[in-house]
Amino acid sequence: MGISILELVLQRLKEERFTADVAYPGQKYPRITETVATVHIEKVNRADLTVTVEVNILSPAALGGTACEIEALRATEALRWSGAVCVQNGCSYDGVSQVYVVSILATFTCVTEDDDLVLGPGFQVYINDALQRFSIGFTAQEKLDREALYAMGQTAPVGISLGSGLWEVTLEELIPIGSPENVEPNGAFEIRVVTDVLTECYYHCRWTSVRRELTSQGLRKIRTGIAMEREVL
């Protein structure tokens, strides 16, 4: 089970110490006395598996528009690091509610699960510090060097020597047609796979093959390579 888009956005905002809630809670909204964030789904595009969430940052008039803009920048950065492509709009003033408002449009790659919108595939992959936001699969297989051991004068092996190993890694992406691809790193790189439970880091990586396949859903890109070392954080 994945985490819903709204749950993720609210969680990230609260982690950044925002008072945050859904934009249409089904009850009278309280008077704004501090900077708050409201969240709702702006649009869903099932063709390219994306959902856009609008986050409104609201600040009381007494704090001024600049304060609202600065807080919106904090929210935008938090959502960007959560895998969203963000567009922050300009600041406006609502004379009726007497608040300044900055709208942020945050677009996530998603899947459907039990008729709900959830982040897929339940993990995030970074190459160096660049999020691979269209990742749908990652595998790692350890390749160990083994060599038969022989005793002097014996033709049958008496044991096996276990040498150092490498990790064979595969990253699979499904990139919507027309979406930009990440720039490939020069030389060796690091891969970081992040989940809610743990983070796996692969060091001194290099790609050995790249497969590109055009499908009705988009460009399926499969990169295979080797990593010299693995660490679990």
Side-chain angles (χ1 to χ4, degrees):
M1 177 71 68
I3 182 172
S4 76
I5 298 294
L6 291 179
E7 288 174 339
L8 173 90
V9 173
L10 288 171
Q11 175 183 313
R12 293 295 185 264
L13 291 171
K14 290 175 181 178
E15 287 173 355
E16 294 298 321
R17 301 184 301 280
F18 282 98
T19 299
D21 203 347
V22 293
Y24 307 113
Q27 60 192 24
K28 184 177 180 181
Y29 214 82
R31 182 170 177 267
I32 304 300
T33 59
E34 62 177 350
T35 300
V36 300
T38 63
V39 178
H40 74 276
I41 294 176
E42 174 69 15
K43 65 178 180 179
V44 176
N45 189 332
R46 296 191 183 273
D48 64 5
L49 296 178
T50 61
V51 56
T52 299
V53 174
E54 183 178 30
V55 177
N56 284 311
I57 304 298
L58 301 92
S59 294
L63 296 181
T66 300
C68 187
E69 291 174 328
I70 292 173
E71 290 297 280
L73 284 172
R74 284 204 309 116
T76 297
E77 190 68 7
L79 296 173
R80 185 178 73 86
W81 281 105
S82 300
V85 176
C86 297
V87 176
Q88 179 174 325
N89 297 308
C91 184
S92 61
Y93 181 68
D94 184 341
V96 176
S97 301
Q98 295 184 331
V99 294
Y100 286 98
V101 183
V102 174
S103 169
I104 303 165
L105 296 178
T107 301
F108 294 87
T109 300
C110 67
V111 296
T112 57
E113 183 176 291
D114 297 332
D115 296 326
D116 195 9
L117 291 168
V118 301
L119 281 182
F123 60 87
Q124 293 175 317
V125 178
Y126 296 83
I127 295 180
N128 293 331
D129 290 324
L131 175 67
Q132 311 298 296
R133 68 188 187 94
F134 298 116
S135 301
I136 60 172
F138 179 84
T139 59
Q141 182 177 2
E142 190 174 15
K143 299 289 187 179
L144 297 173
D145 293 332
R146 290 181 170 86
E147 182 179 350
L149 297 177
Y150 295 88
M152 184 175 295
Q154 299 291 325
T155 58
V158 296
I160 296 176
S161 173
L162 185 63
S164 61
L166 300 174
W167 287 88
E168 184 180 276
V169 295
T170 301
L171 174 62
E172 183 174 356
E173 299 172 281
L174 184 59
I175 305 172
I177 298 298
S179 296
E181 299 180 42
N182 289 76
V183 178
E184 294 288 354
N186 292 321
F189 54 89
E190 298 178 3
I191 298 176
R192 189 167 78 257
V193 183
V194 181
T195 72
D196 290 337
V197 179
L198 54 81
T199 297
E200 296 182 4
C201 298
Y202 296 85
Y203 303 107
H204 312 294
C205 306
R206 290 184 182 273
W207 296 127
T208 57
S209 68
V210 179
R211 178 183 175 186
R212 300 171 64 87
E213 177 186 351
L214 284 174
T215 72
S216 59
Q217 295 178 304
L219 171 64
R220 187 175 297 274
K221 184 177 180 181
I222 304 173
R223 289 178 281 180
T224 300
I226 57 172
M228 302 293 292
E229 184 181 352
R230 173 180 178 265
E231 179 184 20
V232 178
L233 304 177

